[in-house]
Amino acid sequence: MRSRLVENEDSFAARRRSKRATWLVETFPDLAQMSIIDLGGRVETWARAVVRPKHVHVVNLEAPPPEIPDWAEVDYGDACALPPTISHRRYDLVFSNSVLEHVGGHERRVRFAESVHLLSDAHWVQTPYRYFPIEPHWIAPGMQFLPVRFRTLVARRWPLAHSPAKTHEAAIQQVLWTELVDRSQMRHYFPQSQIRVERLATLPKSLIAVLGSP
C-alpha cells in the first residue's frame, strides 16, 4: 500500500513531486544555468530531474554516495551550522525539500533559515504543512496531533511507515525529530519570502518559502 501511495515512480506522491518540480522550473526558468545548494537533499533526486541545474552542491548528514557526477558535489554537513568552507560561498539558489521539519526544534529552524539567507538571495524551501489531516512521514491520519507516547506507538506499529522502528528508543527518536510547522512559523523564519501553498483537494498540504523569482 505504501509503495502505491508514495514510493513507486507512478505513485500518487511521485506525481505530486513531479508537479512540484514543474512549479520550481516555472518559478526559476533559468534553473538549468544556475548553481544551487541543496540543504538536506540527495544527488539522485537531481539526476532524475526534468531540468537539472548547471551545478548542484548537496549538503547532508548522510554519508556521500560512492560515485558523484561531474555536475555535483557532496559534503557531509549540518545545514544549521555550516562550516566556513560552505557558509562563505554564494549560490544562485538555495533549495530544500522536506528538511525543515527534521532539524530539531525552533532554535535549530532559526539557524537553518539563517543559513538559507546567508547562501543566496534566492531560495525555495518546502516543508509539509502541520494541519494537513494526514501525517506525511507515516501516512497516518492525525498522528502529528497525538501526545508523544501515542506517536511513538504509531511509529512502531503503523503498517504504512517507511521503516517501522523496531525498538521504543528508535521510535521516539523518529517522533521527536519530526516536527511539522504551520504558516505563521514559516512567515517567521522567512519574513521576506512569498509563502506558497501546495494544496490537495483544496486542503493545504505543504508550504514553500520562495524568494528571488522573476
Side-chain angles (χ1 to χ4, degrees), residues 82-114:
L82 294 171
T85 52
I86 299 175
S87 64
H88 290 172
R89 294 172 62 173
R90 293 285 289 176
Y91 302 83
D92 297 321
L93 176 69
V94 178
F95 177 90
S96 182
N97 189 72
S98 295
V99 174
L100 183 66
E101 72 272 21
H102 295 298
V103 299
H106 169 68
E107 193 275 337
R108 296 260 302 163
R109 289 192 291 271
V110 170
R111 301 292 167 257
F112 182 92
E114 289 174 349

Side-chain angles (χ1 to χ4, degrees), residues 110-148:
V110 170
R111 301 292 167 257
F112 182 92
E114 289 174 349
S115 294
V116 170
H117 293 116
L118 178 68
L119 294 166
S120 178
D121 293 330
H123 57 248
W124 172 284
V125 178
Q126 182 272 350
T127 189
Y129 179 53
R130 173 172 174 76
Y131 294 106
F132 186 70
I134 307 297
E135 204 294 328
H137 303 89
W138 285 272
I139 318 180
M143 177 183 173
Q144 66 269 39
F145 308 120
L146 298 174
V148 170

Side-chain angles (χ1 to χ4, degrees), residues 38-72:
D38 184 342
L39 299 178
R42 294 185 176 94
V43 170
E44 54 263 34
T45 300
W46 295 103
R48 298 191 303 266
V50 175
V51 176
R52 190 178 69 227
K54 182 178 180 180
H55 183 77
V56 178
H57 185 183
V58 171
V59 178
N60 205 320
L61 290 173
E62 297 178 348
E67 296 185 8
I68 300 172
D70 57 6
W71 48 265

